[in-house]
Amino acid sequence: MINELYHYIIITKSKLFDRAYYLRNYPDVLHADVDTLWHFIRIGWKEGRNPSQSFNTNYYLNENTDVKQANINPLIHYIKFGRKEGRAPNPIPHPGMGKYIFEPVKSCPDTEIPIFNKEYIQTHPKKLDEDLGFEKIKIYGSEINLDDKSRNDYENITLYDTKISIIIPTINAGDDFDFLIKMLINQKGFHEIEIVIVDSGSSDHTLEIANRYGAKIIEIPNEEFSHSHARNLGAKNATGEYLLFTVQDALPPSLTWLNELVTGLKTKDVSAVSCAELPRENADLFYHVISWNHYEFLDVNKHDRILAMPEEPNHFNLRKNGQLSDLACLIPAELFRKYQYRFSYAEDLDLGIRLIKDGLKIAFLGSTRIIHSHNRPAYYFLKRGYVDNIFLSEIFEDFKIPQLKLLNVIEDIAFSYNFLIKNVFTKIQALSFPIQLSTLHMEVKQYLGEAKTYPYPIKTSYQENMSLDPELSGFIDIIINKSGYTQIDGNYQGNLIEAMFGFVNITFEYLKTTHDIIDKPFIESLTACLTKEISILAGAHLAYAYINRSDEDIELAAFLHSILKANV
Amino acid sequence: MKILFLTHQFFPEYQTGTERFVLNNALMAQKFGNKVKVVTYSYYENAFYDQEIHGILYKEFFYEGIPVLAFKFKRIPENINLVLENKNLSPFAKSVLEVEAPDIIHVGHSMRMHEFIWSAINLGIPYIITSTDFFLLCPKINLTPDKFSLCSGPKGGKACAKLCPELDRKFISRRLEAAEKILKNAKDIVAPSEFVAQIYKQEFPILSFEIIPHGIRYHFIKNNDRVYDKESKITFGYLGNLIYHKGVHVLLSAFKSIETKNSSLKIYGFGQQKFIKKLKEISNNDKRVSFQGLFASEKLGNVLSDIDVLINPSISYETYSFTLHEALACDVPVIASNIGVMGEVIVNNFNGFTFSPGDALDLAHRMEEIIKNPAILNDLKQNIKNQITIPTIEQEAYAYTKLYKNFHS
């Protein structure tokens, strides 16, 4: 008790304890209604709580193992010894310190004229009034005229005397669906907006919400659903002159969004128009990277593009010039009915390519966007990488398939996840933060380069030993066991890590648009992103191996194909 | 594009509505592919800062992944919260703008930050202003001449001379000139509500405002789908700071006057112990009233699911009110003072009720109407659900992104 009292006095005198900070950051202390400094001295520091913004308890203990081992209050140590010894109370200074350099002005008064009317203040001393008042509030001055409206987005829009049908395939669309429908039916500038829902078996409030807003509802059995069929059915039942295809988890960013699409269609004189997406607030880094990279590929990050048949119609040019997106695809109803959607996958790209092949133009807008993103686990992206590449090989004859063998790809997968987690991620986490983005990029590339001399892992359970999403680690265990993988002697012979260099460069190119300096908490996002990147690559490589399957691995390839094609 | 956000105070030191607005937009601007930095005045103890130059202390750190430059004067000028210029800050502000080289500046709150605006004008850096309160019109910030009154703007200083005679006339006149210059040089001026825009336009009719309501973070939102009958017990709720001008004392006084066991009142928020003690004295151990303290932001949906009617009893102008809009986003009706944005957003018998500010009796009548006939809430909730759209932070940031792009070559 005497010791605690002594600490109380020392800390109070030091002025290094900030009661307001403590209460703000630790509301349980506020509820407990105890003296904040007593709380810090008796319990708080042991729980790693900080006495103020300027002293980081855990940092001090971790950096000064003598203090940690002695089990003494780190703030007391800092006040009595650490400060004199030059020990830092907080993490290392921010990069770029001292960059603001200037010559001071000759000291000026705060203001050249008096602020207060001294004469009035002297004759009207301030009343000490601590009572709460219970009077009606008097409002001086004129009434505020709220009818004199300020500018808004939709005062200058073009009005279209037309009917738009919005077609949305649904299944258990969730609570956000209400907001989506409300935003759609309130879009400005149209004679009429019709909502057509094609539902394949919702058991939540989806149909109730659709009914409440007067949507036309078409119900189909779940097994009848395909992306093309549902949308074609919606189109068949739509009565508008224009069709807008969108999805149940998108959100228009404004009430003029649809008007911008229609204006785009008409002014650019194109047969169909789509727009880019804008990830939601909780979208992860991986989603931002792939979304940004996709729009870099389409060249719509900075402007809109009108797309037409390329001179050289290879798969690269056709994808770059034939892209429509079901997140938002506006097309005249009559034209759509001639073409309709085909396939169970990438039906939007297929439609775009058919339109441009027939000499029509389409547009992809980067200046107008729709809010949409998914946070999906790494395993989803492994499957996505697989399905995308199978699809591309099926529809583009010139799509080049690397000659890979399934067993080698599985060895590569076993190596790559282990190498990334154990070597690359561990070393990234051990760096000093904050760190310049360019330095971090160099470090990551260096750690990846160490693959050449890193050993293949012994056969192990990824589900038990790796911090991966359970479905992904379960899948890796399955392919390792089915393939009969054993540890390989010698240096790494795979392709996945080499491919990762490309993805890492894309990631850092994206980060260059948003960051100069990276702080430590961001690293969790980065490693999660890299895990999804290796997964999408692993999926692609499994697809290449499937396409190159031979008698020796045909059963295993068929087994993996059945797993990886499901539910994407 | 690089966007520099200016604000008079910021997280984690201060956490009011303006700080939320700045944080939300900085986060979203970064997510939309821009570089961002928040530059803020601050009041940390001197040991917090790791740099000092010519009497200015500063430190850079991250908050939720957003780079922040926090600075303060080592010797804090006496009138720093009142004036619109301070030449001693000018070289620092100029240096920061030259080093950071933003493409555009977004002013979230100009108090203590004006030298950055004057430097931006001199350096030709475009800026937009969001008027989150009335600071550029009123040194007292919220148009409150005294505890029991509100005014409707300075009227060229004439209203100040009459209602706030303690302020020097020349100071007010010069301050208004500076404010007009700051506003006129902005590439765009935005208000979160029509009410704010109209107050400014009364003073400076030449100005043109764009209305961009603040967005809210929807992943904290949860629909309150309770259905009411004549027997339903009603829980009223207050969410916000426990400070005088929020009018919680009026709410407690109103509730105390209602004799019913069929309702309760939950008060969420934080304030000075001395003030909370006074509030508790008013409630006088009324077991129907509970002080719930603070709650984590991710619990917002749960908190609003536990209350049937939100009460906003503010006795000063609110320019937006996040909690009012969050309640509506959760389909919770609101009783609010009929001033400021509340009078603009809350419509009697449509999405809630309004009452005369500071009038506990009027508020009590409104609460009693609901206690006696809880089923009236069903219609209000349906109206809110079907007809009111509160923007998300993505939608708000999208609107701002369009503005930034207009002024970025």
Side-chain angles (χ1 to χ4, degrees):
Chain A
M1 182 67 191
I2 292 173
N3 207 25
E4 285 176 350
L5 192 61
Y6 173 61
H7 287 175
Y8 195 98
I9 294 165
I10 286 186
I11 295 175
T12 306
K13 275 189 178 173
S14 75
K15 295 185 177 167
L16 289 178
F17 185 81
D18 181 344
R19 287 172 193 274
Y21 167 90
Y22 205 75
L23 284 173
R24 263 200 313 273
N25 285 278
Y26 309 117
D28 58 319
V29 180
L30 175 68
H31 296 159
D33 202 18
V34 292
D35 182 293
T36 47
L37 182 49
W38 275 126
H39 185 275
F40 176 73
I41 290 169
R42 287 178 174 158
I43 313 164
W45 73 268
K46 292 173 192 162
E47 295 174 343
R49 300 180 194 232
N50 300 328
S52 69
Q53 180 75 29
S54 57
F55 189 92
N56 186 318
T57 300
N58 283 335
Y59 173 79
Y60 196 83
L61 287 172
N62 290 335
E63 290 296 306
N64 301 288
T65 45
D66 54 333
V67 183
K68 194 173 189 174
Q69 280 164 10
N71 195 29
I72 54 175
N73 184 323
L75 184 59
I76 293 290
H77 181 275
Y78 177 71
I79 295 165
K80 289 178 72 177
F81 313 107
R83 193 155 45 178
K84 286 173 212 151
E85 293 164 5
R87 302 193 196 204
N90 255 322
I92 58 162
H94 203 277
M97 265 181 68
K99 60 190 171 181
Y100 308 125
I101 300 163
F102 59 90
E103 287 301 316
V105 287
K106 199 176 161 189
S107 188
C108 298
D110 293 345
T111 175
E112 287 159 24
I113 54 169
I115 289 174
F116 294 103
N117 179 346
K118 279 186 188 162
E119 199 180 317
Y120 178 86
I121 288 173
Q122 277 165 6
T123 53
H124 295 77
K126 201 175 178 183
K127 286 179 204 160
L128 199 62
D129 178 11
E130 290 200 338
D131 288 340
L132 296 174
F134 292 98
E135 294 179 24
K136 276 192 200 174
I137 300 296
K138 193 182 291 179
I139 301 177
Y140 296 103
S142 59
E143 289 294 312
I144 309 302
N145 177 15
L146 293 175
D147 296 329
D148 175 18
K149 293 288 181 197
S150 298
R151 277 177 292 133
N152 59 42
D153 271 355
Y154 35 90
E155 66 186 17
N156 292 321
I157 59 170
T158 311
L159 300 176
Y160 294 106
D161 185 19
T162 188
K163 180 176 179 179
I164 310 274
S165 296
I166 301 176
I167 297 157
I168 314 171
T170 58
I171 180 160
N172 295 330
D175 289 338
D176 290 348
F177 189 56
D178 198 317
F179 197 7
L180 167 66
I181 303 291
K182 212 171 353 182
M183 284 298 295
L184 289 173
I185 59 168
N186 285 310
Q187 290 291 309
K188 304 289 179 190
F190 300 103
H191 170 65
E192 193 179 346
I193 290 175
E194 171 188 62
I195 309 279
V196 183
I197 302 297
V198 185
D199 190 82
S200 50
S202 290
S203 55
D204 67 354
H205 297 305
T206 303
L207 297 181
E208 178 200 318
I209 293 166
N211 256 321
R212 184 149 44 81
Y213 290 102
K216 188 179 274 184
I217 298 172
I218 298 142
E219 293 186 69
I220 57 172
N222 185 261
E223 54 278 12
E224 198 183 294
F225 174 84
S226 81
H227 290 291
S228 292
H229 175 62
R231 289 176 172 87
N232 289 339
L233 205 55
K236 197 175 163 190
N237 286 277
T239 55
E241 293 110 288
Y242 291 91
L243 307 179
L244 174 84
F245 295 97
T246 186
V247 293
Q248 65 181 24
D249 54 354
L251 182 68
S254 70
L255 294 177
T256 59
W257 170 77
L258 186 53
N259 200 280
E260 288 168 29
L261 287 184
V262 174
T263 301
L265 186 90
K266 287 179 179 279
T267 58
K268 293 178 196 303
D269 194 21
V270 292
S271 60
V273 65
S274 277
C275 73
E277 69 180 335
L278 206 51
R280 286 180 188 269
E281 59 156 318
N282 61 349
D284 63 13
L285 175 62
F286 176 74
Y287 202 91
H288 281 279
V289 171
I290 55 166
S291 176
W292 174 83
N293 190 46
H294 180 57
Y295 297 134
E296 281 291 292
F297 167 72
L298 294 179
D299 195 18
V300 295
N301 268 330
K302 293 199 171 84
H303 45 76
D304 304 335
R305 269 188 73 215
I306 294 172
L307 313 175
M309 188 66 181
E311 282 182 18
E312 196 183 329
N314 56 36
H315 80 88
F316 181 89
N317 287 338
L318 284 173
R319 286 162 65 198
K320 197 175 166 79
N321 292 287
Q323 184 72 65
L324 288 172
S325 166
D326 275 343
L327 295 180
C329 179
L330 181 79
I331 184 166
E334 204 180 319
L335 179 68
F336 180 80
R337 289 193 184 103
K338 279 188 202 159
Y339 284 81
Q340 305 212 41
Y341 279 126
R342 303 188 306 188
F343 306 140
S344 56
Y345 189 77
E347 66 288 343
D348 43 7
L349 174 61
D350 170 66
L351 173 64
I353 289 173
R354 283 186 289 143
L355 289 170
I356 60 166
K357 276 185 174 173
D358 286 351
L360 297 170
K361 286 179 185 171
I362 58 176
F364 206 101
L365 308 183
S367 60
T368 294
R369 298 203 171 210
I370 185 161
I371 298 164
H372 174 266
S373 55
H374 295 290
N375 281 347
R376 284 174 162 146
Y379 183 53
Y380 171 85
F381 291 104
L382 188 143
K383 294 172 76 166
R384 185 78 198 228
Y386 183 85
V387 173
D388 276 353
N389 282 278
I390 296 282
F391 173 79
L392 289 171
S393 72
E394 283 170 359
I395 66 162
F396 296 114
E397 285 174 7
D398 64 330
F399 187 71
K400 280 189 183 147
I401 305 296
Q403 298 291 314
L404 297 177
K405 285 189 171 294
L406 185 55
L407 292 179
N408 293 345
V409 172
I410 292 173
E411 287 162 3
D412 202 353
I413 289 173
F415 173 89
S416 297
Y417 282 99
N418 181 64
F419 167 71
L420 273 186
I421 293 169
K422 300 270 175 65
N423 188 66
V424 179
F425 295 176
T426 307
K427 286 183 173 170
I428 293 174
Q429 273 146 1
L431 289 166
S432 291
F433 292 91
I435 188 170
Q436 293 281 357
L437 180 73
S438 52
T439 310
L440 179 61
H441 187 187
M442 281 194 319
E443 297 288 349
V444 173
K445 284 198 290 190
Q446 187 189 318
Y447 304 150
L448 279 176
E450 289 163 3
K452 288 172 196 158
T453 54
Y454 200 79
Y456 278 85
I458 53 166
K459 188 177 174 181
T460 182
S461 165
Y462 278 69
Q463 205 151 30
E464 285 168 23
N465 298 314
M466 301 281 173
S467 51
L468 293 168
D469 80 65
E471 278 191 306
L472 175 61
S473 51
F475 174 77
I476 298 172
D477 282 347
I478 288 173
I479 58 173
I480 284 176
N481 289 328
K482 285 254 182 196
S483 67
Y485 170 85
T486 53
Q487 186 184 19
I488 297 163
D489 289 335
N491 292 339
Y492 174 59
Q493 300 292 322
N495 303 295
L496 280 174
I497 297 300
E498 189 57 37
M500 267 302 280
F501 274 97
F503 232 140
V504 163
N505 287 338
I506 289 168
T507 306
F508 278 86
E509 278 303 308
Y510 164 74
L511 286 172
K512 266 194 332 203
T513 68
T514 57
H515 289 72
D516 290 320
I517 292 166
I518 298 291
D519 61 337
K520 181 131 197 191
F522 185 79
I523 292 309
E524 200 180 319
S525 313
L526 180 64
T527 55
C529 175
L530 297 178
T531 304
K532 289 181 183 180
E533 289 173 1
I534 194 76
S535 300
I536 210 162
L537 291 172
H541 284 222
L542 285 169
Y544 304 149
Y546 174 78
I547 295 162
N548 291 312
R549 64 193 178 279
S550 62
D551 290 346
E552 66 188 49
D553 55 20
I554 195 160
E555 275 185 35
L556 182 57
F559 171 73
L560 294 182
H561 188 69
S562 66
I563 297 178
L564 293 173
K565 274 210 79 169
N567 301 323
V568 175
Chain B
M1 192 185 331
K2 182 164 183 179
I3 305 154
L4 209 63
F5 289 85
L6 301 183
T7 182
H8 63 322
Q9 56 193 36
F10 194 60
F11 289 92
E13 192 181 27
Y14 295 97
Q15 316 188 359
T16 69
T18 299
E19 290 85 283
R20 279 178 70 181
F21 156 71
V22 171
L23 177 64
N24 287 347
N25 278 279
L27 278 170
M28 291 313 301
Q30 189 187 53
K31 283 176 184 286
F32 289 178
N34 302 292
K35 281 186 184 165
V36 297
K37 182 172 253 186
V38 173
V39 182
T40 180
Y41 196 83
S42 54
Y43 284 99
Y44 298 106
E45 56 193 278
N46 289 358
F48 167 80
Y49 303 90
D50 52 21
Q51 294 279 282
E52 179 181 347
I53 182 162
H54 305 309
I56 290 169
L57 300 165
Y58 70 89
K59 182 183 173 89
E60 291 189 74
F61 59 92
F62 286 88
Y63 187 80
E64 290 195 15
I66 298 298
V68 179
L69 165 62
F71 73 94
K72 79 167 184 181
F73 284 105
K74 198 167 183 186
R75 187 192 69 79
I76 299 171
E78 196 182 336
N79 299 315
I80 188 170
N81 295 339
L82 301 170
V83 296
L84 300 190
E85 47 204 337
N86 187 319
K87 295 281 182 286
N88 295 323
L89 183 62
S90 180
F92 177 70
K94 183 168 177 272
S95 174
V96 169
L97 295 188
E98 283 172 344
V99 171
E100 298 298 337
D103 296 298
I104 190 155
I105 294 172
H106 186 164
V107 183
H109 202 291
S110 59
M111 183 194 273
R112 306 186 279 265
M113 303 300 290
H114 297 97
E115 288 308 322
F116 287 85
I117 301 176
W118 298 123
S119 290
I121 294 171
N122 290 333
L123 293 168
I125 301 171
Y127 65 91
I128 66 165
I129 295 183
T130 299
S131 295
T132 48
D133 61 28
F134 306 106
F135 177 69
L136 282 172
L137 297 179
C138 169
K140 293 181 177 176
I141 304 172
N142 283 322
L143 307 173
T144 46
D146 60 39
K147 221 166 157 180
F148 305 112
S149 65
L150 295 166
C151 82
S152 304
K155 311 281 187 286
K158 283 181 199 153
C160 308
K162 189 177 168 193
L163 301 171
C164 299
E166 72 275 21
L167 294 169
D168 184 272
R169 278 185 171 209
K170 274 189 195 153
F171 165 68
I172 290 293
S173 156
R174 192 161 141 177
R175 193 180 186 281
L176 282 172
E177 277 172 31
E180 189 172 14
K181 196 171 170 189
I182 286 171
L183 290 164
K184 276 186 178 168
N185 274 285
K187 291 289 178 191
D188 216 325
I189 315 169
V190 179
S193 59
E194 191 66 53
F195 168 75
V196 176
Q198 292 306 331
I199 291 265
Y200 273 90
K201 279 156 78 173
Q202 280 191 160
E203 196 62 33
F204 304 122
I206 198 169
L207 296 179
S208 168
F209 276 75
E210 178 143 350
I211 307 298
I212 302 179
H214 295 329
I216 61 174
R217 299 175 97 158
Y218 264 76
H219 65 268
F220 298 150
I221 293 300
K222 195 170 153 187
N223 288 348
N224 177 330
D225 290 329
R226 194 176 168 200
V227 179
Y228 301 86
D229 59 32
K230 60 181 180 181
E231 305 297 328
S232 298
K233 287 190 173 183
I234 299 297
T235 303
F236 296 99
Y238 170 83
L239 278 64
N241 290 328
L242 303 180
I243 48 179
Y244 172 76
H245 73 260
K246 292 287 180 185
V248 189
H249 57 289
V250 179
L251 167 60
L252 285 165
S253 174
F255 190 67
K256 203 175 82 175
S257 72
I258 302 171
E259 289 181 9
T260 172
K261 287 181 182 167
N262 217 20
S263 67
S264 58
L265 172 62
K266 289 183 176 178
I267 309 276
Y268 290 90
F270 172 69
Q272 288 193 340
Q273 288 299 328
K274 201 173 157 187
F275 188 74
I276 293 173
K277 199 176 156 203
K278 281 188 176 184
L279 294 177
K280 286 183 176 171
E281 280 168 15
I282 299 172
S283 74
N284 194 22
N285 291 326
D286 186 337
K287 290 199 173 129
R288 301 171 304 162
V289 179
S290 57
F291 286 82
Q292 305 275 340
L294 292 168
F295 60 89
S297 35
E298 59 268 23
K299 300 277 181 202
L300 177 75
N302 292 338
V303 167
L304 285 166
S305 288
D306 280 347
I307 65 172
D308 302 300
V309 180
L310 181 90
I311 312 238
N312 187 330
S314 191
I315 51 175
S316 71
Y317 294 132
E318 298 272 355
T319 56
Y320 182 73
S321 180
F322 275 97
T323 50
L324 180 147
H325 288 85
E326 283 161 346
L328 294 175
C330 291
D331 300 334
V332 173
V334 178
I335 301 179
S337 322
N338 187 19
I339 44 169
V341 75
M342 288 103 72
E344 183 182 328
V345 174
I346 301 302
V347 178
N348 280 314
N349 276 313
F350 173 70
N351 53 7
F353 298 99
T354 59
F355 69 99
S356 179
D359 189 343
L361 193 63
D362 194 14
L363 172 58
H365 285 154
R366 295 301 197 180
M367 294 166 85
E368 273 175 323
E369 278 179 48
I370 293 170
I371 294 166
K372 282 178 191 160
N373 181 16
I376 57 173
L377 294 177
N378 296 331
D379 287 344
L380 303 184
K381 287 170 86 77
Q382 278 309 309
N383 293 339
I384 296 167
K385 192 182 264 299
N386 295 338
Q387 295 181 56
I388 291 187
T389 310
I390 309 295
T392 67
I393 63 169
E394 293 97 333
Q395 291 174 318
E396 179 191 17
Y398 182 82
Y400 276 112
T401 301
K402 290 215 155 190
L403 288 189
Y404 302 150
K405 283 182 179 164
N406 286 344
F407 307 113
H408 173 54
S409 51

